[in-house]
Structures are given as structure tokens and as C-alpha cells.
Amino acid sequence: MAKRKYYAYSVGGKNGVTDNWPECQAFVAGKPGAKFKGFESKESAEAWLEMGANYFVKNIALEDGIYFDSGTGAGEGVEINVTDRMGKKLLHKALEKEKLNVKGHHFADEGTTNNFGELLACKYALQIALEDGTKKIFGDSKLVVEYWSKGHIKYEVGEETVNLAHEVKLLRKEFESKGGRIFLISGGANPADLGFHKG
């Protein structure tokens, strides 16, 4: 069964949310300045409208916390992103300015995988959360959230990845000992999402 989708629209000073594309299309088709965007939840669609129907806001999360993601779709290697629930960049809290690109993202070392990037992004999210006292972290990689960040990893993935997983496991243990939790979410609900994953 397909996931239900919600469409936010803003046209002529009127805002609304509908649960089907034909209805949204009827409001925006041929209207100058009309804005619309699809979301996984009605609450996210409404939040986007409250923020002024800004296309620069990719996804809106409903819970405060730190969000992380990795992607390879830009064609420049493995790129990582860490944000707050509104999509505000946070990597500057963990890395020097020289290690960030113009978008506030970071490129992992050449030759690493996207899964390595997800794990590296999780590491920085944990470091920032521990520094700021944030209690919730969200990521859309099941492999990282449920396995690698807990130290469940096969040595065949390579020494660098195994060593990083061990480092992240220790950070996660410290984070959880202070009441923190890491949650698995979908890419469509992740404000840090780089838009390069499948599905």
C-alpha cells in the first residue's frame, strides 16, 4: 500500500493542505506565484506554510533534535549534512570552517562509501548533541542507527569503517547514559536529507 501524501499550497494569499494531487493541482494550475510541495504528514505540510512556503526549506521535522544524512548524488564524493529540525546547518559546531563547503556540508575522504558517510555524520551529530545537551538525534540510515552505531559491524567493510564504528559506539553510549536517544526516520521526514537516496 502506497504511503499517503499531503500537498501544501499557497496561492493568492490563500494557504491550504490537501491529501491528493488533483485537488492541489486545481488550486495552483496556471496561477502566477503559486507555490506547492508534497509532504509525508499533514503537520509537516502545515509547518511549511507557516514558514512562508519557502522552497529553500526541504523537509520540516516535527521534533526538536539533531538530524543527519549522507549522499553521493552531487557527483563529488560522499557528502554529509547535520542540521536542526528546521534544516539549519550545524556541522560548523564540530568541524573547522575549512572542512565545510559553501552549503555548510562536509565531504568524507575520497574512496569512502555512502554508509561510511552516514556513520561519520552520526558521529558529528553525537558530538554536537553532547556539547549542546540535545537529547534526540534522528537519521534515515537503518544500518547506522540500528547496527553500526551500536558496534554491530563486520570486519569485511574495512578497518577505517570498523574503527569509526567503534568511536561512534562509545559516543552513543555516553549520549544514551545522559538520557539521549537516536531515532530512525524516513528520508522524506529528514531536514538534513541530501535527496540522493532511493525510495
Side-chain angles (χ1 to χ4, degrees):
M1 189 169 129
K3 279 186 182 177
R4 190 170 195 181
K5 196 156 188 178
Y6 294 86
Y7 298 89
Y9 60 87
S10 178
V11 56
K14 182 180 179 183
N15 293 340
V17 176
T18 179
D19 63 0
N20 65 82
W21 170 243
E23 190 177 334
C24 179
Q25 189 177 27
F27 282 110
V28 301
K31 310 278 188 347
K35 294 181 178 181
F36 57 93
K37 188 168 172 59
F39 293 90
E40 291 184 359
S41 73
K42 185 177 181 182
E43 294 80 11
S44 294
E46 289 169 344
W48 182 71
L49 290 172
E50 286 172 19
M51 292 179 64
N54 186 343
Y55 282 126
F56 288 107
V57 177
K58 190 165 186 179
N59 295 317
I60 298 173
L62 300 177
E63 290 193 69
D64 283 331
I66 296 175
Y67 294 77
F68 69 90
D69 190 39
S70 174
T72 57
E76 300 174 36
V78 176
E79 188 174 5
I80 67 169
N81 189 23
V82 179
T83 73
D84 66 9
R85 80 175 191 92
M86 303 304 281
K88 182 180 174 187
K89 312 296 183 190
L90 298 177
L91 273 173
H92 66 278
K93 294 184 172 190
L95 292 167
E96 300 84 15
K97 187 177 179 182
E98 301 77 42
K99 293 188 177 181
L100 303 177
N101 64 19
V102 294
K103 296 181 282 185
H105 303 163
H106 172 70
F107 284 105
D109 292 338
E110 193 175 327
T112 56
T113 65
N114 186 61
N115 287 332
F116 179 91
E118 292 276 2
L119 187 61
L120 186 61
C122 182
K123 170 190 167 180
Y124 294 135
L126 283 162
Q127 288 176 337
I128 295 165
L130 285 165
E131 182 71 26
D132 291 353
T134 302
K135 299 300 182 193
K136 292 182 179 180
I137 293 176
F138 303 86
D140 57 37
S141 168
K142 183 174 185 177
L143 180 66
V144 169
V145 171
E146 296 185 1
Y147 299 99
W148 284 8
S149 66
K150 296 178 179 179
H152 305 303
I153 189 167
K154 295 180 180 177
Y155 285 95
E156 293 81 29
V157 298
E159 185 178 356
E160 185 179 13
T161 305
V162 170
N163 289 342
L164 179 59
H166 179 69
E167 188 179 351
V168 172
K169 175 187 172 183
L170 295 176
L171 286 168
R172 181 171 183 163
K173 190 174 181 180
E174 181 183 354
F175 174 66
E176 290 177 338
S177 75
K178 296 180 178 181
R181 288 188 62 197
I182 301 181
F183 299 89
L184 179 66
I185 57 171
S186 70
N190 188 352
D193 179 53
L194 291 165
F196 307 139
H197 57 83
K198 295 178 182 177

